[in-house]
Amino acid sequence: MSATVGGALERGIFVDGRAHALEGEALTITNPGTGELVGRAASASPEAVDAAVRSAQAALPEWSRRGYADRGTVLHACAQAFEDSVDDLVPLLVAEQGKTIREARIELRKAADTLEHYAGMGREVRGVSVPGLAPGVDGRVLRRPLGVVAAIVPWNFPTTLLCNKLGPALLCGNTVVAKPADTTPFTTLRLAEILTEAGLPAGVVNVVPGTGPGTGEALVTHPLVRKVAFTGSTPTGERVGALAAAGSKRVTLELGGSDPMIICDDADLDRAASAASMGRFYNCGQACLAIKRVFVFESVADGVIDAIAAKATKLRVGLGTDPESQIGPMHSERQRQIVQRQLDAGVAAGGEVIVGGGPPDDPALANGWFFSPTVVVEPPRESPLAQEEVFGPVMPVWRVKDFDEAMERANDSPFGLGSSVWTRDLDRAERAAAELDCGYTWINSPTKVYDELPFGGLKASGYGKEHGTEALDFYSDTKSVVVKRAP
Ligand code: NAD
């Protein structure tokens, strides 16, 4: 399959190491920036899901018997082939997702890098031995793969979110059936081909595009699936978790977030304003760990709000294909409607929009789901802008009198994914690290995720970890072995 978008694409499922022709139900994929047809992809039926899971199950014995170092070598070849294909994949990702060329390149490189990270870990995995349980009796703790893993991901970062699962799952000896979002199937299908051409055995990674309730539920409930690795919204994750529990399957849920950022009076305010702008508006605000609530000390608030507003005004909104664009369209009409509703409710209740407020006026952008970078000050704390996840380029900012109030407001959320604090005061920084209820705290740092550190949320943001060596624990099981020497 050519990755370059020429005419409309037609793609079937990727199962057993090969791309199948499109047949049966199909998804229609349109470009979020132009409304033009990108192509049609399979909407996998329960029978197609069954074929994919059986292919993964058949590939399991050989793949799981290989050593970690051997699997790491294959992953290394995959990462290399992926890295070499990035330029080829960029137009495809831009066309189906909407993001800018620069953002697409960063996403794809990061995804390849994550595979490389786990490839390198192949020579480092260690086990546990417990000598002397009793005279002549020793214990060992083995790490074993779980089996077939269902990897379900959303549309905002189709490839990084998948590779966060592929890296640890494959290294640990599992096989995978991936389900991309029903609006972003093409890059994932092409990626599966690239990995297979690089040496991944047939059946180790399969891709079944399709709808959530149809394809997704058929996959989650398939009896041969032993683990569901899900990234997506909280309501869907809770449903997926319940379905998985009914089959006693392992599950990790990487769900929504409403990450707070605290800017103290002693912070480097210029850097903090830049981090706020990047953290909120990157990927058109459609990131789980985007900065979604900003709390700034009232003594410095006016200057910080002006600086953030100036940055938001300067950001160039445009088609993802335009190399000058800094912010592409939102991904869908539905997504834009949700964010507009949240903003309107916050404004009706007293919030003040100081930049943006809705779609841009530019007639050249009228066919896409564009939304201007928006800053809104002091919407009430009960409003959707404070209590719901805002998955788009709208930044609510609140003034707080001191650090205690900032911490209390930051923790006043159903979510607990990430958080950030900007201060030069060591005590405040340490308190934020210890007391913010979430899985990640950045101190005086842009909100970047590192492969070396575990990532995952609390509360409505889900449970389980991706990244870090910790991710291996969520794609493998331990088994205890006792050895008694002859008397
Ligand atoms: P979504 O929950 O609607 O969909 C996510 C995936 O689940 C898609 O592939 C979808 O087809 C599938 N799905 C939907 N219903 C299903 C069902 N009943 N059974 C099985 N699968 C089903 O998510 P979305 O709204 O498209 O994505 C955005 C959300 O993802 C946001 O809430 C965002 O915060 C979250 N997200 C979280 C992380 C993280 O790491 N925590 C990362 C990125 C995005």
Side-chain angles (χ1 to χ4, degrees):
M1 160 170 144
S2 163
T4 312
V5 185
L9 300 168
E10 294 257 320
R11 302 288 175 248
I13 57 176
F14 185 89
V15 169
D16 219 12
R18 70 183 180 88
H20 293 247
L22 175 60
E23 53 186 41
E25 299 255 317
L27 307 166
T28 299
I29 310 302
T30 53
N31 183 318
T34 62
E36 288 164 1
L37 180 70
V38 179
R40 295 187 331 127
S43 185
S45 63
E47 293 73 29
V49 169
D50 182 56
V53 174
R54 287 184 188 285
S55 170
Q57 180 74 17
L60 196 55
E62 197 274 333
W63 181 248
S64 61
R65 267 199 297 271
R66 292 189 187 198
Y68 280 87
D70 189 5
R71 288 194 293 266
T73 302
V74 176
L75 270 181
H76 172 68
C78 289
Q80 196 61 55
F82 186 1
E83 176 68 39
D84 293 346
S85 308
V86 163
D87 286 344
D88 210 22
L89 288 166
V90 164
L92 200 52
L93 184 55
V94 171
E96 66 177 351
Q97 206 289 333
K99 62 181 68 194
T100 65
I101 292 170
R102 181 171 171 274
E103 288 169 337
R105 190 167 288 122
I106 291 171
E107 170 179 340
L108 292 160
R109 287 209 177 119
K110 174 76 180 126
D113 200 47
T114 295
L115 290 187
E116 183 60 45
H117 181 78
Y118 284 97
M121 232 183 254
R123 293 182 187 277
E124 301 296 334
V125 176
R126 297 283 182 272
V128 175
S129 135
V130 186
L133 291 169
V137 180
D138 293 330
R140 264 189 292 147
V141 183
L142 303 185
R143 190 189 281 277
R144 305 176 79 217
L146 298 172
V148 176
V149 173
I152 301 180
V153 296
W155 43 263
N156 57 335
F157 294 97
T159 61
T160 44
L161 297 173
L162 178 60
C163 288
N164 293 349
K165 297 166 178 49
L166 288 184
L170 298 181
L171 183 66
C172 287
N174 305 281
T175 57
V176 174
V177 178
K179 196 203 85 60
D182 57 5
T183 48
T184 52
F186 293 123
T187 318
T188 309
L189 286 164
R190 176 63 191 135
L191 178 58
E193 284 183 332
I194 292 167
L195 303 185
T196 304
E197 286 158 13
L200 205 60
V204 171
V205 171
N206 306 273
V207 181
V208 287
T211 64
T215 308
E217 293 207 6
L219 182 58
V220 171
T221 56
H222 194 293
L224 291 177
V225 167
R226 295 315 315 152
K227 148 107 198 200
V228 181
F230 175 85
T231 299
S233 64
T234 299
T236 308
E238 288 175 353
R239 163 121 187 108
V240 165
L243 290 172
S248 301
K249 298 168 200 259
R250 302 296 167 89
V251 65
T252 43
L253 300 174
E254 296 287 349
L255 309 181
S258 184
D259 291 8
M261 176 192 206
I262 297 173
I263 304 177
C264 300
D265 52 357
D266 62 341
D268 181 331
L269 300 178
D270 287 342
R271 284 178 57 226
S274 296
S277 173
M278 170 63 89
R280 175 66 278 197
F281 299 125
Y282 190 73
N283 211 43
C284 200
Q286 302 164 123
C288 57
L289 51 74
I291 292 167
K292 297 183 180 131
R293 296 174 294 138
V294 177
F295 300 101
V296 54
F297 278 36
E298 58 194 9
S299 55
V300 296
D302 288 348
V304 170
I305 292 169
D306 285 350
I308 291 174
K311 286 177 193 303
T313 311
K314 270 199 210 133
L315 287 170
R316 187 172 158 157
V317 179
L319 285 169
T321 46
D322 179 348
E324 303 289 307
S325 297
Q326 291 168 296
I327 298 202
M330 296 190 68
H331 183 61
S332 67
E333 179 179 21
R334 177 174 171 272
Q335 213 49 51
R336 188 169 76 169
Q337 283 169 347
I338 293 170
V339 170
Q340 187 75 64
R341 192 239 332 135
Q342 292 170 318
L343 177 62
D344 292 348
V347 172
E352 183 195 358
V353 170
I354 55 169
V355 178
D361 295 333
D362 187 348
L365 304 180
N367 292 331
W369 311 122
F370 293 90
F371 201 103
S372 299
T374 297
V375 179
V376 51
V377 178
E378 305 285 352
R381 68 189 286 177
E382 307 74 33
S383 83
L385 293 174
Q387 293 301 327
E388 297 177 6
E389 178 180 40
V390 179
F391 215 57
V394 172
M395 185 195 299
V397 183
W398 290 272
R399 296 176 172 89
V400 289
K401 66 175 185 313
D402 57 21
F403 195 64
D404 284 341
E405 185 186 358
M407 291 289 289
E408 186 269 319
R409 296 288 300 270
N411 278 336
D412 179 23
S413 167
F415 298 99
L417 195 54
S419 59
S420 53
V421 62
W422 287 76
T423 179
R424 291 187 172 101
D425 180 326
L426 185 61
D427 288 338
R428 284 174 177 163
E430 288 294 338
R431 221 185 115 195
E435 295 178 18
L436 286 171
D437 294 330
C438 58
Y440 228 111
T441 296
W442 287 269
I443 297 169
N444 298 327
S445 165
T447 49
K448 176 186 166 188
V449 168
Y450 292 87
D451 278 322
E452 292 83 350
L453 295 175
F455 174 92
L458 313 178
K459 303 195 280 185
S461 296
Y463 56 86
K465 298 291 172 187
E466 294 191 331
H467 302 281
T469 51
E470 287 77 2
L472 302 186
D473 296 336
F474 292 89
Y475 290 94
S476 57
D477 206 352
T478 58
K479 178 177 187 180
S480 297
V481 177
V482 175
V483 181
K484 185 169 180 9
R485 288 190 290 279

